[in-house]
Amino acid sequence: MINHLFSSAGEVLTLFLIPIGGGIPAGVILAKNRGLEWPVVTLIYFLSDLILACVFEPLMHWFIKTAKHSQFMLRWIDAYKVSLAKAGFKNYLTPSPFSLIMLSFGVDPMTGRVVSHLAGHGFIPGWMFAIAGDMIFFALIMASTLWLNSILGDGMWTAIIIMTAMIVIPALIRRWKSN
């Protein structure tokens, strides 16, 4: 029983560590099929965010340090700043905590952490904002996945529909806002 629980949790954690949003619906469906309740699944996802923080933080600092000596990376940083401005973060050096949480919700926790770093937040507060936004996103996707799966009864189609919605809905919103 305990071995099954840890094995199932490890499989779900592996899906959650996939650095694209598709791991969430697939992980939620797998967890449901393995008998893991939603509080446990939420805890596993939170653990995946903590692992992300420990892996991404040194990479971010390495990138920042290396960028100072590379014209290519400096141009990439300038392009990144332009994309932040286009996303509505025109003053990314002084965003509010709510803005940082919403950025992590709407984009991803790595982007939220980069912007919080640019705003001067250290490791703990920066990741608190990033993880808070990501956990809200996770809760929305998990609830949607479980609801749709209860209607369809087919985990594969549920995951496909949710992943498609995760791609299509933001694109439609961006298009609607630009018109």
Side-chain angles (χ1 to χ4, degrees):
M1 174 69 176
I2 296 290
N3 284 341
H4 172 72
L5 177 66
F6 280 109
S7 174
S8 297
E11 292 171 345
V12 172
L13 177 63
T14 301
L15 284 173
F16 287 161
L17 289 172
I18 295 173
I20 57 171
I24 296 173
V28 168
I29 295 297
L30 179 62
K32 182 182 179 303
N33 290 341
R34 297 285 198 264
L36 299 174
E37 297 293 326
W38 71 265
V40 173
V41 178
T42 303
L43 183 63
I44 294 169
Y45 191 79
F46 179 71
L47 178 61
S48 77
D49 272 351
L50 294 179
I51 292 169
L52 171 68
C54 293
V55 170
F56 182 77
E57 189 77 11
L59 290 174
M60 179 186 72
H61 288 284
W62 171 84
F63 185 87
I64 291 168
K65 183 178 179 181
T66 305
K68 293 176 183 176
H69 308 290
S70 166
Q71 284 300 105
F72 171 78
M73 291 177 122
L74 288 172
R75 285 192 303 274
W76 190 87
I77 289 171
D78 288 340
Y80 188 73
K81 289 176 182 177
V82 168
S83 71
L84 285 174
K86 286 182 180 179
F89 284 86
K90 293 175 180 40
N91 193 0
Y92 57 86
L93 292 176
T94 58
S96 69
F98 179 75
S99 294
L100 292 170
I101 291 169
M102 288 298 99
L103 177 64
S104 293
F105 171 82
V107 181
D108 61 56
M110 287 89 53
T111 301
R113 174 58 187 130
V114 168
V115 174
S116 69
H117 174 77
L118 292 172
H121 297 288
F123 179 79
I124 300 291
W127 277 107
M128 282 175 38
F129 300 138
I131 290 173
D134 194 42
M135 291 303 296
I136 295 167
F137 178 76
F138 170 75
L140 177 68
I141 299 302
M142 180 177 64
S144 300
T145 300
L146 292 172
W147 171 78
L148 185 58
N149 191 57
S150 73
I151 293 170
L152 298 178
D154 184 333
M156 183 182 77
W157 278 109
T158 298
I160 290 170
I161 291 168
I162 294 294
M163 286 186 284
T164 302
M166 290 167 58
I167 295 166
V168 171
I169 292 172
L172 291 174
I173 291 171
R174 280 191 300 274
R175 177 177 259 189
W176 175 69
K177 285 175 109 178
S178 69
N179 289 334

